[in-house]
Every structure is written in C-alpha cells, then in structure tokens.
Amino acid sequence: MKLNLLVLRTSKLEDLRRFYSALGARFASERHGNGPEHYAATLGDDFVLELYPVADGSTPDAGLRLGLSVDDIGETLRSLGETATARQTPWGLRALVRDPDGRTVELLQSRQTATSCQPL
C-alpha cells in the first residue's frame, strides 16, 4: 500500500495554501465539473495534496497530524515565521508546528540530509 492522495478541507483556503506553499508545495488551481475551486500540488513523484473549501456546516479535520520531510528545517521554520525549536531525534531534526486550521505538522530533516548539508 502507498498513499497517493490527501485532501485537507478548510474554511481558510488561502491561508492554508500559503502555509503549505511555504513548505515547498507548488499549488495549481483546479475545478472538476461542478465541484468547488480548490488547489492541488504533487509532492514527490506521485503524492497529491489537495486543499478544498469545507462544505457548508462541516468543520476542518484539525485532529489530523501530518509528517513532512524537509531539506533544511531551519530555513523551513523561518519561511513559516515559526519560533518552534528543532530537536534532534533518532530520525533526524524534528519540529512541530500547526497549520492555520490547527493541524499538527511534524517537520523532519533526515539525518542523511543533515549530514549532506555539512561543509566539508
């Protein structure tokens, strides 16, 4: 099994687009048939992240937790305007931030990336 699609619903569509764009997602505006206008970005080879407006009366899925790998966690935190502190873990540097809807987003800079970024 491999995850290939994640849809986040939000009442803050533009705020969410800016947040995930700061993490490196490149969104395109889409509309399928009579459906709502939304944003889609392909992450990696074939994983699609879509941002949809919430339907009337529903609430965003703030309980969802996402884990995203980043190349440079310090630069990523700066681009988000976050003051979170990255901590070393067995998997690499890790920081927790919240997206505009309150979802926890775990940012991870892998040990391999951290090692490869060190000057020789």
PDB file of all heavy atoms in Angstrom, residues 29-69:
ATOM      1  N   SER A  29      -4.525  25.848  -9.255  1.00  0.00           N
ATOM      2  CA  SER A  29      -5.961  25.937  -9.031  1.00  0.00           C
ATOM      3  C   SER A  29      -6.663  24.944  -9.948  1.00  0.00           C
ATOM      4  O   SER A  29      -6.298  24.809 -11.118  1.00  0.00           O
ATOM      5  CB  SER A  29      -6.432  27.357  -9.318  1.00  0.00           C
ATOM      6  OG  SER A  29      -7.806  27.472  -9.091  1.00  0.00           O
ATOM      7  N   GLU A  30      -7.660  24.227  -9.400  1.00  0.00           N
ATOM      8  CA  GLU A  30      -8.399  23.229 -10.174  1.00  0.00           C
ATOM      9  C   GLU A  30      -9.885  23.332  -9.882  1.00  0.00           C
ATOM     10  O   GLU A  30     -10.291  23.832  -8.847  1.00  0.00           O
ATOM     11  CB  GLU A  30      -7.955  21.808  -9.804  1.00  0.00           C
ATOM     12  CG  GLU A  30      -6.560  21.462 -10.185  1.00  0.00           C
ATOM     13  CD  GLU A  30      -6.239  19.995  -9.914  1.00  0.00           C
ATOM     14  OE1 GLU A  30      -6.989  19.314  -9.164  1.00  0.00           O
ATOM     15  OE2 GLU A  30      -5.226  19.521 -10.437  1.00  0.00           O
ATOM     16  N   ARG A  31     -10.662  22.809 -10.797  1.00  0.00           N
ATOM     17  CA  ARG A  31     -12.099  22.641 -10.597  1.00  0.00           C
ATOM     18  C   ARG A  31     -12.515  21.464 -11.463  1.00  0.00           C
ATOM     19  O   ARG A  31     -12.180  21.409 -12.630  1.00  0.00           O
ATOM     20  CB  ARG A  31     -12.869  23.888 -10.980  1.00  0.00           C
ATOM     21  CG  ARG A  31     -14.395  23.648 -10.948  1.00  0.00           C
ATOM     22  CD  ARG A  31     -15.187  24.889 -11.260  1.00  0.00           C
ATOM     23  NE  ARG A  31     -15.694  25.363  -9.990  1.00  0.00           N
ATOM     24  CZ  ARG A  31     -15.849  26.618  -9.656  1.00  0.00           C
ATOM     25  NH1 ARG A  31     -15.527  27.563 -10.488  1.00  0.00           N
ATOM     26  NH2 ARG A  31     -16.330  26.946  -8.477  1.00  0.00           N
ATOM     27  N   HIS A  32     -13.216  20.495 -10.875  1.00  0.00           N
ATOM     28  CA  HIS A  32     -13.673  19.324 -11.599  1.00  0.00           C
ATOM     29  C   HIS A  32     -15.187  19.403 -11.758  1.00  0.00           C
ATOM     30  O   HIS A  32     -15.916  19.380 -10.761  1.00  0.00           O
ATOM     31  CB  HIS A  32     -13.299  18.036 -10.863  1.00  0.00           C
ATOM     32  CG  HIS A  32     -11.853  17.968 -10.492  1.00  0.00           C
ATOM     33  ND1 HIS A  32     -10.837  17.869 -11.417  1.00  0.00           N
ATOM     34  CD2 HIS A  32     -11.242  18.017  -9.280  1.00  0.00           C
ATOM     35  CE1 HIS A  32      -9.675  17.837 -10.803  1.00  0.00           C
ATOM     36  NE2 HIS A  32      -9.880  17.927  -9.491  1.00  0.00           N
ATOM     37  N   GLY A  33     -15.645  19.533 -12.993  1.00  0.00           N
ATOM     38  CA  GLY A  33     -17.085  19.607 -13.242  1.00  0.00           C
ATOM     39  C   GLY A  33     -17.709  20.761 -12.488  1.00  0.00           C
ATOM     40  O   GLY A  33     -17.246  21.892 -12.561  1.00  0.00           O
ATOM     41  N   ASN A  34     -18.768  20.463 -11.723  1.00  0.00           N
ATOM     42  CA  ASN A  34     -19.465  21.474 -10.940  1.00  0.00           C
ATOM     43  C   ASN A  34     -18.919  21.610  -9.522  1.00  0.00           C
ATOM     44  O   ASN A  34     -19.506  22.304  -8.699  1.00  0.00           O
ATOM     45  CB  ASN A  34     -20.963  21.147 -10.862  1.00  0.00           C
ATOM     46  CG  ASN A  34     -21.631  21.258 -12.209  1.00  0.00           C
ATOM     47  OD1 ASN A  34     -21.229  22.069 -13.035  1.00  0.00           O
ATOM     48  ND2 ASN A  34     -22.647  20.444 -12.444  1.00  0.00           N
ATOM     49  N   GLY A  35     -17.808  20.910  -9.240  1.00  0.00           N
ATOM     50  CA  GLY A  35     -17.230  20.943  -7.903  1.00  0.00           C
ATOM     51  C   GLY A  35     -16.610  22.293  -7.588  1.00  0.00           C
ATOM     52  O   GLY A  35     -16.499  23.171  -8.444  1.00  0.00           O
ATOM     53  N   PRO A  36     -16.193  22.462  -6.344  1.00  0.00           N
ATOM     54  CA  PRO A  36     -15.619  23.751  -5.925  1.00  0.00           C
ATOM     55  C   PRO A  36     -14.207  23.951  -6.480  1.00  0.00           C
ATOM     56  O   PRO A  36     -13.486  22.993  -6.749  1.00  0.00           O
ATOM     57  CB  PRO A  36     -15.585  23.634  -4.398  1.00  0.00           C
ATOM     58  CG  PRO A  36     -15.433  22.172  -4.151  1.00  0.00           C
ATOM     59  CD  PRO A  36     -16.229  21.499  -5.244  1.00  0.00           C
ATOM     60  N   GLU A  37     -13.831  25.201  -6.618  1.00  0.00           N
ATOM     61  CA  GLU A  37     -12.451  25.502  -6.965  1.00  0.00           C
ATOM     62  C   GLU A  37     -11.594  25.116  -5.765  1.00  0.00           C
ATOM     63  O   GLU A  37     -11.974  25.342  -4.611  1.00  0.00           O
ATOM     64  CB  GLU A  37     -12.291  26.979  -7.275  1.00  0.00           C
ATOM     65  CG  GLU A  37     -10.915  27.304  -7.806  1.00  0.00           C
ATOM     66  CD  GLU A  37     -10.819  28.715  -8.357  1.00  0.00           C
ATOM     67  OE1 GLU A  37     -11.833  29.259  -8.812  1.00  0.00           O
ATOM     68  OE2 GLU A  37      -9.701  29.244  -8.317  1.00  0.00           O
ATOM     69  N   HIS A  38     -10.460  24.521  -6.032  1.00  0.00           N
ATOM     70  CA  HIS A  38      -9.556  24.065  -4.975  1.00  0.00           C
ATOM     71  C   HIS A  38      -8.131  24.113  -5.498  1.00  0.00           C
ATOM     72  O   HIS A  38      -7.898  24.499  -6.648  1.00  0.00           O
ATOM     73  CB  HIS A  38      -9.939  22.647  -4.522  1.00  0.00           C
ATOM     74  CG  HIS A  38      -9.810  21.623  -5.607  1.00  0.00           C
ATOM     75  ND1 HIS A  38     -10.774  21.451  -6.581  1.00  0.00           N
ATOM     76  CD2 HIS A  38      -8.826  20.740  -5.886  1.00  0.00           C
ATOM     77  CE1 HIS A  38     -10.388  20.495  -7.411  1.00  0.00           C
ATOM     78  NE2 HIS A  38      -9.210  20.048  -7.009  1.00  0.00           N
ATOM     79  N   TYR A  39      -7.183  23.725  -4.654  1.00  0.00           N
ATOM     80  CA  TYR A  39      -5.774  23.709  -5.030  1.00  0.00           C
ATOM     81  C   TYR A  39      -5.236  22.289  -4.959  1.00  0.00           C
ATOM     82  O   TYR A  39      -5.626  21.506  -4.093  1.00  0.00           O
ATOM     83  CB  TYR A  39      -4.950  24.599  -4.090  1.00  0.00           C
ATOM     84  CG  TYR A  39      -5.272  26.060  -4.215  1.00  0.00           C
ATOM     85  CD1 TYR A  39      -6.000  26.711  -3.237  1.00  0.00           C
ATOM     86  CD2 TYR A  39      -4.845  26.784  -5.322  1.00  0.00           C
ATOM     87  CE1 TYR A  39      -6.298  28.053  -3.343  1.00  0.00           C
ATOM     88  CE2 TYR A  39      -5.142  28.138  -5.445  1.00  0.00           C
ATOM     89  CZ  TYR A  39      -5.860  28.761  -4.454  1.00  0.00           C
ATOM     90  OH  TYR A  39      -6.156  30.089  -4.569  1.00  0.00           O
ATOM     91  N   ALA A  40      -4.295  21.977  -5.865  1.00  0.00           N
ATOM     92  CA  ALA A  40      -3.647  20.669  -5.873  1.00  0.00           C
ATOM     93  C   ALA A  40      -2.156  20.856  -6.111  1.00  0.00           C
ATOM     94  O   ALA A  40      -1.740  21.716  -6.893  1.00  0.00           O
ATOM     95  CB  ALA A  40      -4.249  19.779  -6.952  1.00  0.00           C
ATOM     96  N   ALA A  41      -1.362  20.051  -5.407  1.00  0.00           N
ATOM     97  CA  ALA A  41       0.094  20.043  -5.583  1.00  0.00           C
ATOM     98  C   ALA A  41       0.569  18.599  -5.569  1.00  0.00           C
ATOM     99  O   ALA A  41       0.091  17.795  -4.765  1.00  0.00           O
ATOM    100  CB  ALA A  41       0.777  20.823  -4.466  1.00  0.00           C
ATOM    101  N   THR A  42       1.486  18.287  -6.456  1.00  0.00           N
ATOM    102  CA  THR A  42       2.100  16.963  -6.454  1.00  0.00           C
ATOM    103  C   THR A  42       3.391  17.048  -5.651  1.00  0.00           C
ATOM    104  O   THR A  42       4.256  17.879  -5.935  1.00  0.00           O
ATOM    105  CB  THR A  42       2.393  16.483  -7.893  1.00  0.00           C
ATOM    106  OG1 THR A  42       1.160  16.435  -8.605  1.00  0.00           O
ATOM    107  CG2 THR A  42       3.022  15.102  -7.884  1.00  0.00           C
ATOM    108  N   LEU A  43       3.487  16.213  -4.630  1.00  0.00           N
ATOM    109  CA  LEU A  43       4.671  16.157  -3.769  1.00  0.00           C
ATOM    110  C   LEU A  43       5.399  14.870  -4.077  1.00  0.00           C
ATOM    111  O   LEU A  43       4.779  13.805  -4.137  1.00  0.00           O
ATOM    112  CB  LEU A  43       4.260  16.199  -2.300  1.00  0.00           C
ATOM    113  CG  LEU A  43       3.290  17.307  -1.892  1.00  0.00           C
ATOM    114  CD1 LEU A  43       2.944  17.176  -0.421  1.00  0.00           C
ATOM    115  CD2 LEU A  43       3.857  18.672  -2.197  1.00  0.00           C
ATOM    116  N   GLY A  44       6.694  14.932  -4.248  1.00  0.00           N
ATOM    117  CA  GLY A  44       7.432  13.728  -4.615  1.00  0.00           C
ATOM    118  C   GLY A  44       7.053  13.312  -6.023  1.00  0.00           C
ATOM    119  O   GLY A  44       6.729  14.134  -6.873  1.00  0.00           O
ATOM    120  N   ASP A  45       7.035  12.017  -6.257  1.00  0.00           N
ATOM    121  CA  ASP A  45       6.754  11.507  -7.592  1.00  0.00           C
ATOM    122  C   ASP A  45       5.275  11.463  -7.915  1.00  0.00           C
ATOM    123  O   ASP A  45       4.869  11.806  -9.014  1.00  0.00           O
ATOM    124  CB  ASP A  45       7.350  10.105  -7.765  1.00  0.00           C
ATOM    125  CG  ASP A  45       8.864  10.142  -7.758  1.00  0.00           C
ATOM    126  OD1 ASP A  45       9.434  11.172  -8.158  1.00  0.00           O
ATOM    127  OD2 ASP A  45       9.472   9.139  -7.358  1.00  0.00           O
ATOM    128  N   ASP A  46       4.450  11.024  -6.946  1.00  0.00           N
ATOM    129  CA  ASP A  46       3.048  10.804  -7.293  1.00  0.00           C
ATOM    130  C   ASP A  46       2.079  10.984  -6.131  1.00  0.00           C
ATOM    131  O   ASP A  46       0.981  10.471  -6.150  1.00  0.00           O
ATOM    132  CB  ASP A  46       2.864   9.423  -7.902  1.00  0.00           C
ATOM    133  CG  ASP A  46       3.290   8.299  -6.965  1.00  0.00           C
ATOM    134  OD1 ASP A  46       3.778   8.580  -5.860  1.00  0.00           O
ATOM    135  OD2 ASP A  46       3.135   7.126  -7.340  1.00  0.00           O
ATOM    136  N   PHE A  47       2.466  11.753  -5.130  1.00  0.00           N
ATOM    137  CA  PHE A  47       1.581  12.029  -4.000  1.00  0.00           C
ATOM    138  C   PHE A  47       0.933  13.393  -4.222  1.00  0.00           C
ATOM    139  O   PHE A  47       1.631  14.392  -4.421  1.00  0.00           O
ATOM    140  CB  PHE A  47       2.355  12.014  -2.686  1.00  0.00           C
ATOM    141  CG  PHE A  47       1.507  12.364  -1.498  1.00  0.00           C
ATOM    142  CD1 PHE A  47       0.633  11.437  -0.956  1.00  0.00           C
ATOM    143  CD2 PHE A  47       1.567  13.624  -0.938  1.00  0.00           C
ATOM    144  CE1 PHE A  47      -0.164  11.761   0.135  1.00  0.00           C
ATOM    145  CE2 PHE A  47       0.780  13.956   0.152  1.00  0.00           C
ATOM    146  CZ  PHE A  47      -0.088  13.018   0.683  1.00  0.00           C
ATOM    147  N   VAL A  48      -0.386  13.457  -4.192  1.00  0.00           N
ATOM    148  CA  VAL A  48      -1.107  14.706  -4.447  1.00  0.00           C
ATOM    149  C   VAL A  48      -1.730  15.208  -3.145  1.00  0.00           C
ATOM    150  O   VAL A  48      -2.419  14.459  -2.446  1.00  0.00           O
ATOM    151  CB  VAL A  48      -2.201  14.504  -5.525  1.00  0.00           C
ATOM    152  CG1 VAL A  48      -3.000  15.786  -5.722  1.00  0.00           C
ATOM    153  CG2 VAL A  48      -1.566  14.056  -6.841  1.00  0.00           C
ATOM    154  N   LEU A  49      -1.469  16.459  -2.839  1.00  0.00           N
ATOM    155  CA  LEU A  49      -2.081  17.147  -1.712  1.00  0.00           C
ATOM    156  C   LEU A  49      -3.093  18.122  -2.287  1.00  0.00           C
ATOM    157  O   LEU A  49      -2.737  18.973  -3.114  1.00  0.00           O
ATOM    158  CB  LEU A  49      -1.029  17.902  -0.892  1.00  0.00           C
ATOM    159  CG  LEU A  49      -1.545  18.788   0.236  1.00  0.00           C
ATOM    160  CD1 LEU A  49      -2.268  17.967   1.297  1.00  0.00           C
ATOM    161  CD2 LEU A  49      -0.392  19.575   0.854  1.00  0.00           C
ATOM    162  N   GLU A  50      -4.358  17.994  -1.873  1.00  0.00           N
ATOM    163  CA  GLU A  50      -5.393  18.894  -2.347  1.00  0.00           C
ATOM    164  C   GLU A  50      -5.979  19.672  -1.175  1.00  0.00           C
ATOM    165  O   GLU A  50      -6.165  19.120  -0.091  1.00  0.00           O
ATOM    166  CB  GLU A  50      -6.510  18.128  -3.061  1.00  0.00           C
ATOM    167  CG  GLU A  50      -6.063  17.542  -4.377  1.00  0.00           C
ATOM    168  CD  GLU A  50      -7.203  16.944  -5.174  1.00  0.00           C
ATOM    169  OE1 GLU A  50      -8.189  16.466  -4.566  1.00  0.00           O
ATOM    170  OE2 GLU A  50      -7.103  16.943  -6.409  1.00  0.00           O
ATOM    171  N   LEU A  51      -6.249  20.934  -1.417  1.00  0.00           N
ATOM    172  CA  LEU A  51      -6.868  21.815  -0.423  1.00  0.00           C
ATOM    173  C   LEU A  51      -8.234  22.214  -0.948  1.00  0.00           C
ATOM    174  O   LEU A  51      -8.333  22.836  -2.010  1.00  0.00           O
ATOM    175  CB  LEU A  51      -6.013  23.066  -0.204  1.00  0.00           C
ATOM    176  CG  LEU A  51      -4.530  22.848   0.107  1.00  0.00           C
ATOM    177  CD1 LEU A  51      -3.819  24.188   0.233  1.00  0.00           C
ATOM    178  CD2 LEU A  51      -4.357  22.008   1.357  1.00  0.00           C
ATOM    179  N   TYR A  52      -9.269  21.831  -0.214  1.00  0.00           N
ATOM    180  CA  TYR A  52     -10.659  22.094  -0.608  1.00  0.00           C
ATOM    181  C   TYR A  52     -11.328  22.984   0.422  1.00  0.00           C
ATOM    182  O   TYR A  52     -11.064  22.857   1.622  1.00  0.00           O
ATOM    183  CB  TYR A  52     -11.456  20.792  -0.651  1.00  0.00           C
ATOM    184  CG  TYR A  52     -11.479  20.097  -1.980  1.00  0.00           C
ATOM    185  CD1 TYR A  52     -10.426  19.292  -2.376  1.00  0.00           C
ATOM    186  CD2 TYR A  52     -12.576  20.233  -2.833  1.00  0.00           C
ATOM    187  CE1 TYR A  52     -10.451  18.637  -3.601  1.00  0.00           C
ATOM    188  CE2 TYR A  52     -12.612  19.576  -4.052  1.00  0.00           C
ATOM    189  CZ  TYR A  52     -11.549  18.786  -4.433  1.00  0.00           C
ATOM    190  OH  TYR A  52     -11.586  18.146  -5.641  1.00  0.00           O
ATOM    191  N   PRO A  53     -12.243  23.842  -0.032  1.00  0.00           N
ATOM    192  CA  PRO A  53     -13.054  24.574   0.956  1.00  0.00           C
ATOM    193  C   PRO A  53     -13.986  23.597   1.657  1.00  0.00           C
ATOM    194  O   PRO A  53     -14.422  22.613   1.053  1.00  0.00           O
ATOM    195  CB  PRO A  53     -13.836  25.580   0.095  1.00  0.00           C
ATOM    196  CG  PRO A  53     -13.841  25.007  -1.278  1.00  0.00           C
ATOM    197  CD  PRO A  53     -12.599  24.164  -1.407  1.00  0.00           C
ATOM    198  N   VAL A  54     -14.264  23.847   2.948  1.00  0.00           N
ATOM    199  CA  VAL A  54     -15.195  22.984   3.677  1.00  0.00           C
ATOM    200  C   VAL A  54     -16.596  23.169   3.114  1.00  0.00           C
ATOM    201  O   VAL A  54     -16.957  24.248   2.650  1.00  0.00           O
ATOM    202  CB  VAL A  54     -15.210  23.247   5.198  1.00  0.00           C
ATOM    203  CG1 VAL A  54     -13.912  22.842   5.838  1.00  0.00           C
ATOM    204  CG2 VAL A  54     -15.544  24.680   5.512  1.00  0.00           C
ATOM    205  N   ALA A  55     -17.367  22.102   3.159  1.00  0.00           N
ATOM    206  CA  ALA A  55     -18.768  22.181   2.755  1.00  0.00           C
ATOM    207  C   ALA A  55     -19.544  22.905   3.853  1.00  0.00           C
ATOM    208  O   ALA A  55     -19.119  22.939   5.011  1.00  0.00           O
ATOM    209  CB  ALA A  55     -19.327  20.774   2.534  1.00  0.00           C
ATOM    210  N   ASP A  56     -20.666  23.476   3.500  1.00  0.00           N
ATOM    211  CA  ASP A  56     -21.492  24.186   4.481  1.00  0.00           C
ATOM    212  C   ASP A  56     -21.754  23.319   5.699  1.00  0.00           C
ATOM    213  O   ASP A  56     -22.154  22.171   5.583  1.00  0.00           O
ATOM    214  CB  ASP A  56     -22.832  24.600   3.855  1.00  0.00           C
ATOM    215  CG  ASP A  56     -22.643  25.681   2.810  1.00  0.00           C
ATOM    216  OD1 ASP A  56     -21.623  26.382   2.866  1.00  0.00           O
ATOM    217  OD2 ASP A  56     -23.520  25.814   1.939  1.00  0.00           O
ATOM    218  N   GLY A  57     -21.488  23.885   6.870  1.00  0.00           N
ATOM    219  CA  GLY A  57     -21.798  23.200   8.119  1.00  0.00           C
ATOM    220  C   GLY A  57     -20.737  22.234   8.614  1.00  0.00           C
ATOM    221  O   GLY A  57     -20.810  21.757   9.729  1.00  0.00           O
ATOM    222  N   SER A  58     -19.741  21.923   7.809  1.00  0.00           N
ATOM    223  CA  SER A  58     -18.717  20.984   8.282  1.00  0.00           C
ATOM    224  C   SER A  58     -17.530  21.770   8.858  1.00  0.00           C
ATOM    225  O   SER A  58     -17.403  22.970   8.671  1.00  0.00           O
ATOM    226  CB  SER A  58     -18.265  20.060   7.156  1.00  0.00           C
ATOM    227  OG  SER A  58     -17.676  20.801   6.122  1.00  0.00           O
ATOM    228  N   THR A  59     -16.679  21.060   9.579  1.00  0.00           N
ATOM    229  CA  THR A  59     -15.518  21.688  10.196  1.00  0.00           C
ATOM    230  C   THR A  59     -14.252  21.054   9.651  1.00  0.00           C
ATOM    231  O   THR A  59     -14.256  19.891   9.231  1.00  0.00           O
ATOM    232  CB  THR A  59     -15.548  21.513  11.731  1.00  0.00           C
ATOM    233  OG1 THR A  59     -15.603  20.114  12.021  1.00  0.00           O
ATOM    234  CG2 THR A  59     -16.742  22.216  12.345  1.00  0.00           C
ATOM    235  N   PRO A  60     -13.141  21.800   9.661  1.00  0.00           N
ATOM    236  CA  PRO A  60     -11.869  21.230   9.210  1.00  0.00           C
ATOM    237  C   PRO A  60     -11.459  20.060  10.104  1.00  0.00           C
ATOM    238  O   PRO A  60     -11.858  19.977  11.264  1.00  0.00           O
ATOM    239  CB  PRO A  60     -10.884  22.391   9.356  1.00  0.00           C
ATOM    240  CG  PRO A  60     -11.719  23.617   9.392  1.00  0.00           C
ATOM    241  CD  PRO A  60     -13.024  23.202  10.011  1.00  0.00           C
ATOM    242  N   ASP A  61     -10.657  19.189   9.570  1.00  0.00           N
ATOM    243  CA  ASP A  61     -10.190  17.992  10.287  1.00  0.00           C
ATOM    244  C   ASP A  61      -8.931  18.316  11.090  1.00  0.00           C
ATOM    245  O   ASP A  61      -7.858  17.822  10.819  1.00  0.00           O
ATOM    246  CB  ASP A  61      -9.947  16.853   9.305  1.00  0.00           C
ATOM    247  CG  ASP A  61      -9.176  17.299   8.064  1.00  0.00           C
ATOM    248  OD1 ASP A  61      -8.716  18.454   8.032  1.00  0.00           O
ATOM    249  OD2 ASP A  61      -9.041  16.496   7.148  1.00  0.00           O
ATOM    250  N   ALA A  62      -9.092  19.162  12.116  1.00  0.00           N
ATOM    251  CA  ALA A  62      -7.956  19.649  12.895  1.00  0.00           C
ATOM    252  C   ALA A  62      -7.248  18.548  13.668  1.00  0.00           C
ATOM    253  O   ALA A  62      -6.122  18.738  14.109  1.00  0.00           O
ATOM    254  CB  ALA A  62      -8.404  20.761  13.839  1.00  0.00           C
ATOM    255  N   GLY A  63      -7.866  17.388  13.847  1.00  0.00           N
ATOM    256  CA  GLY A  63      -7.229  16.298  14.577  1.00  0.00           C
ATOM    257  C   GLY A  63      -6.218  15.525  13.760  1.00  0.00           C
ATOM    258  O   GLY A  63      -5.456  14.719  14.295  1.00  0.00           O
ATOM    259  N   LEU A  64      -6.167  15.773  12.463  1.00  0.00           N
ATOM    260  CA  LEU A  64      -5.227  15.087  11.590  1.00  0.00           C
ATOM    261  C   LEU A  64      -3.815  15.579  11.863  1.00  0.00           C
ATOM    262  O   LEU A  64      -3.577  16.774  12.026  1.00  0.00           O
ATOM    263  CB  LEU A  64      -5.595  15.366  10.127  1.00  0.00           C
ATOM    264  CG  LEU A  64      -4.698  14.726   9.079  1.00  0.00           C
ATOM    265  CD1 LEU A  64      -4.889  13.219   9.078  1.00  0.00           C
ATOM    266  CD2 LEU A  64      -5.019  15.305   7.707  1.00  0.00           C
ATOM    267  N   ARG A  65      -2.858  14.662  11.924  1.00  0.00           N
ATOM    268  CA  ARG A  65      -1.454  15.020  12.101  1.00  0.00           C
ATOM    269  C   ARG A  65      -0.701  14.597  10.856  1.00  0.00           C
ATOM    270  O   ARG A  65      -0.837  13.468  10.388  1.00  0.00           O
ATOM    271  CB  ARG A  65      -0.875  14.317  13.330  1.00  0.00           C
ATOM    272  CG  ARG A  65       0.575  14.666  13.576  1.00  0.00           C
ATOM    273  CD  ARG A  65       1.043  14.070  14.880  1.00  0.00           C
ATOM    274  NE  ARG A  65       2.438  14.294  15.094  1.00  0.00           N
ATOM    275  CZ  ARG A  65       2.994  14.383  16.293  1.00  0.00           C
ATOM    276  NH1 ARG A  65       2.254  14.258  17.374  1.00  0.00           N
ATOM    277  NH2 ARG A  65       4.282  14.570  16.413  1.00  0.00           N
ATOM    278  N   LEU A  66       0.103  15.510  10.324  1.00  0.00           N
ATOM    279  CA  LEU A  66       0.874  15.239   9.116  1.00  0.00           C
ATOM    280  C   LEU A  66       2.347  15.199   9.452  1.00  0.00           C
ATOM    281  O   LEU A  66       2.821  15.955  10.301  1.00  0.00           O
ATOM    282  CB  LEU A  66       0.650  16.348   8.084  1.00  0.00           C
ATOM    283  CG  LEU A  66      -0.768  16.604   7.627  1.00  0.00           C
ATOM    284  CD1 LEU A  66      -0.814  17.845   6.751  1.00  0.00           C
ATOM    285  CD2 LEU A  66      -1.281  15.407   6.869  1.00  0.00           C
ATOM    286  N   GLY A  67       3.092  14.374   8.772  1.00  0.00           N
ATOM    287  CA  GLY A  67       4.541  14.341   8.877  1.00  0.00           C
ATOM    288  C   GLY A  67       5.135  14.638   7.519  1.00  0.00           C
ATOM    289  O   GLY A  67       4.795  13.974   6.540  1.00  0.00           O
ATOM    290  N   LEU A  68       5.993  15.654   7.447  1.00  0.00           N
ATOM    291  CA  LEU A  68       6.584  16.057   6.182  1.00  0.00           C
ATOM    292  C   LEU A  68       8.096  16.144   6.304  1.00  0.00           C
ATOM    293  O   LEU A  68       8.618  16.709   7.271  1.00  0.00           O
ATOM    294  CB  LEU A  68       6.029  17.415   5.748  1.00  0.00           C
ATOM    295  CG  LEU A  68       4.517  17.493   5.560  1.00  0.00           C
ATOM    296  CD1 LEU A  68       4.077  18.932   5.364  1.00  0.00           C
ATOM    297  CD2 LEU A  68       4.081  16.625   4.396  1.00  0.00           C
ATOM    298  N   SER A  69       8.794  15.597   5.330  1.00  0.00           N
ATOM    299  CA  SER A  69      10.250  15.705   5.275  1.00  0.00           C
ATOM    300  C   SER A  69      10.623  17.007   4.594  1.00  0.00           C
ATOM    301  O   SER A  69      10.007  17.378   3.592  1.00  0.00           O
ATOM    302  CB  SER A  69      10.843  14.536   4.487  1.00  0.00           C
ATOM    303  OG  SER A  69      10.569  13.323   5.119  1.00  0.00           O
TER     304      SER A  69
END
